[in-house]
């Protein structure tokens, strides 16, 4: 199930990233996302091991859950959605009235 969940997450992350970034910055942002994910894959197990060594086996789960809740709140509070027209234009990618950012 983890692979299916990761597949859904990555598809949504790519779609949101593409919708919220300009064409000039898109590659840079995708690269940063990949770099941060790799750092998390390296540091996550190390930090979890140290948190578990503190004596409470559930501490890594509490820390992870707290960070996820804070990230979700930050998303809802600080991320502004693109203009409705931009979304409509991108949604009709294969339609007759589609244009990219350059015109």
């Amino acid at each position: 199930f983890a692979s299916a969940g990761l597949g859904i997450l990555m598809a949504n992350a790519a779609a949101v990233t593409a919708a919220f970034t300009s064409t000039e910055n898109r590659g840079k942002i995708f690269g940063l996302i990949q770099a941060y994910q790799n750092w998390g894959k390296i540091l996550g197990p190390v930090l979890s091991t140290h948190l578990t060594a503190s004596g409470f086996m559930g501490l890594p789960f509490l820390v992870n859950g707290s960070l996820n809740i804070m990230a979700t709140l930050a998303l809802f509070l600080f991320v502004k959605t693109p203009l409705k027209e931009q979304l409509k234009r991108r949604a009709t990618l294969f339609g007759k009235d589609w244009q990219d950012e350059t015109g």
Side-chain angles (χ1 to χ4, degrees):
F1 290 117
S3 295
L6 187 59
I8 293 169
L9 172 72
M10 292 311 298
N12 288 330
V16 169
T17 302
F20 280 90
T21 58
S22 65
T23 308
E24 298 84 26
N25 292 330
R26 197 165 291 153
K28 177 182 170 184
I29 299 299
F30 274 109
L32 286 172
I33 289 172
Q34 188 67 39
Y36 291 137
Q37 286 176 347
N38 289 336
W39 276 106
K41 290 174 187 176
I42 293 168
L43 295 177
V46 173
L47 293 174
S48 294
T49 301
H50 289 293
L51 289 172
T52 303
S54 69
F56 178 51
M57 199 69 136
L59 190 58
F61 299 102
L62 291 174
V63 170
N64 187 18
S66 300
L67 289 173
N68 283 324
I69 289 170
M70 288 189 300
T72 302
L73 288 175
L75 176 75
F76 285 121
L77 292 175
F78 300 114
V79 175
K80 305 292 183 218
T81 57
L83 298 173
K84 203 176 225 182
E85 286 301 314
Q86 288 176 337
L87 289 176
K88 188 186 298 182
R89 184 175 42 174
R90 290 181 184 179
T92 59
L93 178 62
F94 296 108
K96 60 183 178 186
D97 59 341
W98 180 81
Q99 294 179 352
D100 62 4
E101 287 83 9
T102 60

